[in-house]
């Protein structure tokens, strides 16, 4: 019994110890996260500081001029002061000593004293810094080239994916409009708006920061612009030919304006590309034309007149046995969400093809 009590107490002690350790781990991990974020913030600030930007902006000729200027200035100083303690150096020896000092070779054939040591120390530090900037710039440019290649490949892939997806949407829009699938069409419009918003956000980020329009993506961008232009035309026509309910109409309008937003966003990045600029201008023009038609047009929508097999099957399934009600087209049209005259045409088509009985006997 005593042994069992000891074991139980030991287990309880270990459980409490484990709980305390876990609590400490959690608190430490949260603290570490906060510290990491602070350090990351400081690092980002350091990387984007004015000093870093100025050093990064130095060109190769500028660095070369600074190195040559440093050598000549120090050479003048070496020749002006008696740095050896015995006699002044002539200018050619001073140039030689300045180069040896700046490159930190230090052959030891000339030994500076007094003021010469101070000048030599300043030259060594300055020379090492300039050489480091020069080498760092070469490495940075190589790295930038590789990163640019990766960025271009990835952005091109993403743009092509957007283009393919928009083409698929265009086809599905066309099919849904032909078949008058109201509910499915409304759902598709909502999804498409979210997708186009995603494209807008992607282009907004990469156009302003990654300069996506500058790095070999023009062809992919043009294809994307054409596809969203076609989508805008389909969307605009859907309002005229589909007779959507009020909510669907609002979603279609939002889609038109979102596509127009992409055009307005990207136009400044294609000032030297007339083809892309022309496509984007057409998108803006389509939006303006839609706004004018929305103000001036108060007539009912003109429905599509294409009778598809899917629509015929739907109407056929709703046809009752003879005799038919005189307002059969109204009843079926209301049930399927089709215009009454269009429903009447489908019924007549079914009768002509012998798929439905002739009410005239």
């Amino acid at each position: 019994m005593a042994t069992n009590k000891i074991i139980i107490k030991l287990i309880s002690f270990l459980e409490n110890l484990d709980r305390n350790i876990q609590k400490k781990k959690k608190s430490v991990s949260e603290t570490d996260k906060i510290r990491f974020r602070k350090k990351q913030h400081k690092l980002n600030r350091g990387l984007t500081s004015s000093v870093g930007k100025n050093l990064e902006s130095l060109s190769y000729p500028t660095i070369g001029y600074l190195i040559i200027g440093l050598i000549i200035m120090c050479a003048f100083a070496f020749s002006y002061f008696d740095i050896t303690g015995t006699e002044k150096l002539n200018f050619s020896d001073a140039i030689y000593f300045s180069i040896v000092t700046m490159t930190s070779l230090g052959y030891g054939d000339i030994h500076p004293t007094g003021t010469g040591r101070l000048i030599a120390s300043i030259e060594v530090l300055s020379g090492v810094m300039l050489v480091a900037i020069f080498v760092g710039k070469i490495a940075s440019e190589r790295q930038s080239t590789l990163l640019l290649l990766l960025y271009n490949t990835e952005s091109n892939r993403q743009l092509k994916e957007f283009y393919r997806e928009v083409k698929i949407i265009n086809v599905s829009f066309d099919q849904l409009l032909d078949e008058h699938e109201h509910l499915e069409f409304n759902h598709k419009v909502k999804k498409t708006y979210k997708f186009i918003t995603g494209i807008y956000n992607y282009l907004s980020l990469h156009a302003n920061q990654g300069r996506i329009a500058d790095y070999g993506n023009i062809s992919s961008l043009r294809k994307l612009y054409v596809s969203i232009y076609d989508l805008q035309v389909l969307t605009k026509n859907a309002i005229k030919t589909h007779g959507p309910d009020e909510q669907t109409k609002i979603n279609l309008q939002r889609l038109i304006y979102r596509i127009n937003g992409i055009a307005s966003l990207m136009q400044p990045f294609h000032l030297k590309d007339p083809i892309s600029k022309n496509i984007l201008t057409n998108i803006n023009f389509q939006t303006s034309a839609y706004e004018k038609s929305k103000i001036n047009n108060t007539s009912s929508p003109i429905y599509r007149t294409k009778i598809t097999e899917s629509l015929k099957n739907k109407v056929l399934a709703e046809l009752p046995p003879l005799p038919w009600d005189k307002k059969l087209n109204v009843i079926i049209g209301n049930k399927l969400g089709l215009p009454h005259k269009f429903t009447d045409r489908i019924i007549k088509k079914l009768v002509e093809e012998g798929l439905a009985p002739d009410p005239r006997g």
Side-chain angles (χ1 to χ4, degrees):
M1 292 293 291
T3 307
N4 290 339
K5 287 181 180 179
I6 292 170
I7 292 172
I8 291 169
K9 286 182 179 180
L10 181 61
I11 291 171
S12 177
F13 171 75
L14 291 173
E15 285 178 349
N16 290 330
L17 182 64
D18 183 62
R19 285 195 204 99
N20 291 331
I21 290 171
Q22 292 298 329
K23 285 181 182 178
K24 286 182 179 179
K25 278 185 178 178
K26 286 182 180 178
S27 62
V28 169
S29 63
E30 289 299 321
T31 306
D32 287 344
K33 285 179 183 178
I34 294 168
R35 286 176 182 170
F36 173 75
R37 285 170 188 159
K38 287 182 178 179
K39 287 180 180 179
Q40 190 179 36
H41 180 64
K42 288 180 181 178
L43 179 62
N44 290 336
R45 284 175 58 191
L47 289 173
T48 56
S49 65
S50 58
V51 176
K53 287 179 180 178
N54 290 332
L55 290 176
E56 186 70 24
S57 64
L58 288 175
S59 63
Y60 289 115
T62 304
I63 297 172
Y65 294 146
L66 288 173
I67 291 173
I68 294 170
L70 178 66
I71 291 171
I72 293 173
M73 284 176 62
C74 291
F76 273 115
F78 290 143
S79 62
Y80 180 78
F81 296 103
D82 182 9
I83 64 168
T84 60
T86 55
E87 59 178 346
K88 290 185 178 181
L89 297 175
N90 58 43
F91 189 68
S92 60
D93 289 338
I95 285 285
Y96 160 76
F97 180 65
S98 181
I99 293 172
V100 169
T101 303
M102 194 212 71
T103 54
S104 66
L105 292 173
Y107 288 125
D109 50 347
I110 299 175
H111 299 277
T113 58
T115 307
R117 288 183 176 180
L118 176 62
I119 298 169
S121 300
I122 293 171
E123 185 177 17
V124 167
L125 292 173
S126 302
V128 168
M129 185 178 69
L130 287 172
V131 171
I133 292 171
F134 179 77
V135 174
K137 190 171 179 64
I138 294 174
S140 176
E141 286 194 354
R142 178 172 174 77
Q143 186 180 20
S144 298
T145 303
L146 292 173
L147 289 174
L148 185 58
L149 181 62
L150 290 172
Y151 170 78
N152 182 48
T153 304
E154 173 58 24
S155 59
N156 217 330
R157 183 198 64 78
Q158 186 64 66
L159 290 172
K160 287 178 180 177
E161 191 174 317
F162 285 152
Y163 161 69
R164 285 193 292 267
E165 187 65 30
V166 175
K167 280 194 72 176
I168 293 170
I169 290 171
N170 288 343
V171 173
S172 64
F173 260 38
D174 215 33
Q175 290 175 347
L176 291 171
L177 286 171
D178 282 339
E179 296 176 5
H180 294 268
E181 296 284 356
H182 291 269
L183 292 175
E184 193 174 344
F185 180 70
N186 188 19
H187 179 66
K188 190 70 177 178
V189 170
K190 289 179 181 178
K191 286 182 67 176
T192 303
Y193 176 78
K194 290 180 181 178
F195 178 69
I196 295 297
T197 301
I199 295 177
Y200 175 86
N201 293 335
Y202 178 86
L203 292 176
S204 178
L205 174 66
H206 289 271
N208 289 299
Q209 295 186 13
R211 297 171 65 195
I212 195 170
D214 294 346
Y215 299 131
N217 294 309
I218 297 299
S219 177
S220 299
L221 281 170
R222 285 176 186 169
K223 289 180 180 179
L224 178 62
Y225 297 154
V226 170
S227 64
I228 63 173
Y229 170 78
D230 293 339
L231 176 61
Q232 190 188 42
V233 172
L234 273 172
T235 305
K236 180 183 168 186
N237 291 338
I239 297 175
K240 294 181 180 179
T241 62
H242 193 61
D245 56 54
E246 196 59 34
Q247 187 57 49
T248 306
K249 189 175 181 180
I250 291 170
N251 291 332
L252 287 167
Q253 289 174 353
R254 290 174 67 203
L255 185 55
I256 289 172
Y257 293 131
R258 177 57 76 194
I259 292 171
N260 184 66
I262 292 176
S264 301
L265 168 73
M266 297 305 294
Q267 270 183 338
F269 301 100
H270 293 288
L271 298 177
K272 296 181 180 179
D273 178 19
I275 298 175
S276 299
K277 187 179 178 182
N278 186 48
I279 299 168
L280 297 173
T281 303
N282 286 338
I283 292 175
N284 291 145
F285 177 77
Q286 281 285 340
T287 308
S288 301
Y290 169 72
E291 288 177 342
K292 289 179 182 178
S293 66
K294 188 172 66 171
I295 295 170
N296 300 327
N297 187 21
T298 56
S299 60
S300 301
I302 303 168
Y303 288 87
R304 289 192 175 197
T305 57
K306 187 176 180 181
I307 298 174
T308 63
E309 289 298 321
S310 174
L311 284 175
K312 287 196 292 184
N313 291 333
K314 287 179 182 179
V315 173
L316 183 61
E318 297 295 331
L319 287 176
L322 292 174
W324 289 342
D325 192 299
K326 290 183 179 180
K327 294 184 178 180
L328 180 63
N329 62 326
V330 177
I331 297 168
I332 295 176
N334 290 340
K335 192 171 183 179
L336 298 178
L338 298 174
H340 301 158
K341 290 183 179 179
F342 185 55
T343 308
D344 190 52
R345 285 184 54 217
I346 296 173
I347 295 172
K348 288 178 180 178
K349 186 74 173 175
L350 290 170
V351 172
E352 287 174 7
E353 293 177 356
L355 298 173
D358 191 342
R360 295 171 296 182

